[in-house]
């Protein structure tokens, strides 16, 4: 199968994409977080193709993407008031709410769960694509299962070429990490199942009378996560990754020591770090083996390039990756959640 990359502008471009969706085919599309791998969310056979193209375990449910809030009522059996409040506050935006599913949503979308994840992306081309298709679009991130999520059409192409007919190209995704997932199915409590750009603090500020908690699996390694996808290996680069966290100068010093140690042992480590740390270590590592993630402490810059950084060294003969982590406040929590998973928990506090 040929895979076309199309930058949609004219109505005919969106019609073409919608025709693929109506015929049961897959279309990758941009959102403000990462690229999605879309299918008609009401067509079980089309959704089965998503699992096949990604190599994804079938118990890991898909998110339904909607063009506007009115569409939420067509996919959920009910929209609890807390969920309605969050959608009004943050949608369109990087928020997925877990709701009781409507009876006609195929089991393959929800992995057999009685609930469904619903998200309205803050991306004009994504919403126009969904509206033109006229159905909710089921979409996971458009990567091969286990790999870092794609944030450009070229990254989608690297994983999906030959497997899907069309990639809609919207340039680089603005945010770079997947949506915050919030379970709104329990009375009086909301639970964050996956951290993202809508932070716990932002959610708590909207819901002063509701307990907002993090899923226990996000803080304790031995707890089973309630978002089935959170239990799988994720975002993994091709070579092992170790993450260093601490005060700026301490982290730079620890990374410097580790680079020297590994280089002396005949290895070739690559470094993903802040501009400041890379500048401090420029004498001991080649510029080509470094990836700049912006100024230290600039979480939005770090998030936007995180997955590009994790894929950047794929075709280079480096033997391991070292990365500078960040504090867990605000968006830092989502960044560290992804880095913990990408490194298989190899995080050193210095
Ligand atoms: O930003 C995003 O959310 C991106 C873009 C494309 O919208 N999508 C995305 O999808 O990250 P995916 O499939 O990579 O991650 C969806 C996560 C998985 O961990 C899945 O287990 C969880 O959402 N999930 C989906 N439906 C669920 C449900 N009913 N209950 C609990 N977790 C659910
Ligand atoms: Mg994913």
């Amino acid at each position: 199968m040929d895979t076309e990359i199309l930058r949609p502008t004219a109505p005919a471009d969106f019609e073409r994409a919608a025709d693929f969706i109506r015929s049961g085919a897959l279309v990758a599309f941009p959102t403000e977080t990462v690229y999605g791998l879309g299918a008609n969310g009401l067509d079980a056979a089309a959704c089965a193709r998503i699992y096949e193209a990604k190599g994804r375990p079938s118990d890991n449910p898909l998110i339904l993407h909607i063009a506007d809030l009115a569409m939420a009522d067509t996919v959920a059996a009910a929209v609890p008031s807390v969920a309605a409040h969050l959608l009004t506050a943050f949608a369109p935006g990087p928020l997925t709410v877990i709701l009781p599913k409507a009876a006609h949503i195929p089991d393959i979308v929800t992995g057999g769960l009685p609930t469904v994840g619903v998200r309205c992306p803050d991306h004009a081309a994504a919403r126009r694509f969904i509206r033109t298709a006229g159905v909710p679009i089921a979409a996971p991130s458009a990567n091969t299962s286990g790999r870092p999520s794609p944030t450009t059409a070229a990254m989608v192409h690297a994983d999906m070429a030959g497997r899907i007919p069309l990639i809609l190209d919207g340039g680089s995704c603005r945010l770079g990490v997947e949506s915050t997932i919030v379970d709104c199915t329990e009375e009086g409590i909301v639970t964050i199942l996956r951290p993202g750009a809508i932070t716990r603090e932002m959610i708590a500020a909207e819901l002063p009378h509701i307990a907002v908690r993090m899923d226990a699996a996000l803080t304790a390694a031995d707890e089973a996560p309630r978002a089935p996808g959170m239990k799988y290996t994720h975002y993994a680069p091709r070579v092992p990754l170790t993450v260093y966290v601490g005060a700026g100068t301490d982290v730079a010093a620890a990374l410097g020591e580790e680079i020297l140690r590994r280089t002396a042992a005949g290895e070739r480590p690559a470094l993903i770090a802040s501009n400041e740390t890379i500048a401090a270590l420029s004498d001991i590592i080649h510029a080509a083996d470094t990836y700049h993630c912006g100024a230290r402490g600039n979480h939005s810059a770090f998030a936007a390039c995180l997955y590009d950084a994790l894929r950047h060294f794929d075709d280079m003969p480096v033997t391991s990756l070292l990365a500078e982590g960040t504090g867990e406040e605000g968006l830092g929590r989502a960044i560290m959640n992804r880095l913990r998973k990408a490194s298989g928990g190899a995080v050193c506090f210095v």
Side-chain angles (χ1 to χ4, degrees), residues 263-289:
T263 309
E267 296 176 34
R268 182 170 162 192
L271 175 64
I272 296 168
S274 66
N275 302 346
E276 292 84 347
T277 293
I278 293 177
L281 300 177
S282 61
D283 286 346
I284 62 166
I285 186 162
H286 286 297
D289 291 352

Side-chain angles (χ1 to χ4, degrees), residues 257-349:
E257 269 176 42
E258 191 58 20
I259 290 167
L260 289 175
R261 196 186 66 73
R262 292 187 187 195
T263 309
E267 296 176 34
R268 182 170 162 192
L271 175 64
I272 296 168
S274 66
N275 302 346
E276 292 84 347
T277 293
I278 293 177
L281 300 177
S282 61
D283 286 346
I284 62 166
I285 186 162
H286 286 297
D289 291 352
T290 65
Y291 188 105
H292 291 74
C293 293
R296 189 179 287 147
N298 183 339
H299 287 155
S300 32
F302 197 171
C305 70
L306 177 62
Y307 293 137
D308 186 53
L310 293 177
R311 286 176 177 246
H312 179 77
F313 298 100
D314 276 357
D315 299 324
M316 290 173 58
V318 303
T319 55
S320 60
L321 298 181
L322 297 168
E324 175 179 2
T326 189
E328 301 239 4
E329 65 286 354
L331 185 57
R333 193 191 290 270
I335 294 170
M336 283 307 296
N337 169 263
R338 306 316 190 264
L339 282 175
R340 263 192 297 275
K341 286 174 171 289
S343 66
V347 179
C348 303
F349 294 90

Side-chain angles (χ1 to χ4, degrees), residues 31 33-36 56 60-63 65 96 98 113 115-117 119 139-141 178-179 181 193-194 226-230:
T31 79
T33 59
V34 301
Y35 276 72
R56 178 174 174 122
N60 188 0
L62 309 172
I63 293 173
H65 293 71
T96 296
I98 305 294
L113 294 172
T115 55
V116 63
R119 160 162 142 77
S141 50
E178 300 84 347
S179 60
I181 303 179
L193 306 186
R194 179 175 71 183
R226 282 163 56 188
M230 298 296 279

Side-chain angles (χ1 to χ4, degrees), residues 24-80:
L26 306 183
V27 175
F29 64 100
T31 79
E32 80 280 31
T33 59
V34 301
Y35 276 72
L37 181 61
N40 178 350
L42 305 180
D43 177 346
C47 292
R49 290 190 189 101
I50 292 179
Y51 289 90
E52 202 180 307
K54 277 183 68 90
R56 178 174 174 122
S58 60
D59 69 341
N60 188 0
L62 309 172
I63 293 173
L64 286 182
H65 293 71
I66 56 177
D68 50 51
L69 293 188
M71 246 175 131
D73 294 320
T74 71
V75 298
V79 181

